[in-house]
Amino acid sequence: MTTSAIPGGPSAPTAPAAPRSDVRTRVGRAAVATGGGLLLGVLTNLAQGWLPDAWQQLPNSGAVWSTVAFAVGVLLYGNERLVQAALGGAGAEAGLVLGYYGYAEFGRDGAGSLFFPLVWLGLALVAGPLFGVAGWWWRRGRDARRRVAGLGAFAGLWGMEGLLYAVDLHHIPEAYTCLALFVLIPLLMARDHKERALTMGAAVAFALIAYAAVVVPLHMVSA
């Protein structure tokens, strides 16, 4: 630790610089999160051509993309600070958008108007940090309320997607698949029966909020 002299007063300690190894680790994790998002964005574009019928839409869904941010918060940033998980989630989701539309532009017939790429990028920069934090809360949360909120938000994504498929698109097999994940995530990932019940209740609330806040406005701008 070094000190800096202040005229007319005592020396004050300055904050030590972060060790270079820590900086390299953070940069490496950010690169993995963003680069992984880019690759998965390309893969989701390709998967739309591989999957049959209405299943083609699922890889490009908000639930699948936000699952990547949740996984980043769990796997890459479980031992980091919360803000690092938020930044990693943002990098992953931004990478997904850039990979998806980049491949559409240069590997297919073109991405067309910039309107929807910019809409999805804006949503990615909101959802990415939120679900990076949700994954961090679920893994590291000592407070049961944070674990419930993080896991409930993750499950609620699939509830929102199930509502979209059932109510708006009338694709029933895909709706059942999403709703099955909506139920299974709290049952399999919560720590005990009390947390399972609370997480399921939170998931229902998150699903309805997400449907109203995301799906309805997207329908309005798509009309």
Side-chain angles (χ1 to χ4, degrees), residues 66 69 85-87 89-91 93-94 97 118-134 213-214:
S66 295
L87 292 173
E93 289 232 13
V97 175
L118 291 175
V119 167
W120 282 109
L121 184 59
L123 289 172
L125 294 176
V126 174
L130 289 176
F131 287 97
V133 167
V214 178

Side-chain angles (χ1 to χ4, degrees), residues 182-194:
F182 167 71
V183 173
L184 287 173
I185 287 168
L187 292 179
L188 298 178
M189 295 177 67
R191 295 190 179 186
D192 53 40
H193 292 317
K194 180 180 179 181

Side-chain angles (χ1 to χ4, degrees), residues 70 138 144-156 181-207:
F70 184 89
W138 174 70
R145 290 173 296 181
R146 291 189 176 185
R147 292 196 302 271
V148 165
L151 195 58
F154 179 40
L181 288 169
F182 167 71
V183 173
L184 287 173
I185 287 168
L187 292 179
L188 298 178
M189 295 177 67
R191 295 190 179 186
D192 53 40
H193 292 317
K194 180 180 179 181
E195 282 197 18
R196 290 185 186 99
L198 291 172
T199 301
M200 183 59 70
V204 170
F206 278 120

Side-chain angles (χ1 to χ4, degrees), residues 44-136:
T44 58
N45 193 306
L46 290 169
Q48 289 186 304
W50 299 337
L51 296 174
D53 303 326
W55 293 100
Q56 293 178 3
Q57 185 169 337
L58 190 58
N60 188 32
S61 68
V64 169
W65 284 17
S66 295
T67 295
V68 176
F70 184 89
V72 162
V74 172
L75 300 175
L76 287 182
Y77 292 96
N79 296 318
E80 291 281 352
R81 294 185 302 161
L82 185 66
V83 66
Q84 300 299 326
L87 292 173
E93 289 232 13
L96 280 158
V97 175
L98 295 175
Y100 179 89
Y101 284 105
Y103 185 79
E105 179 65 28
F106 298 107
R108 294 190 183 274
D109 299 326
S113 168
L114 285 176
F115 177 73
F116 276 105
L118 291 175
V119 167
W120 282 109
L121 184 59
L123 289 172
L125 294 176
V126 174
L130 289 176
F131 287 97
V133 167
W136 192 94

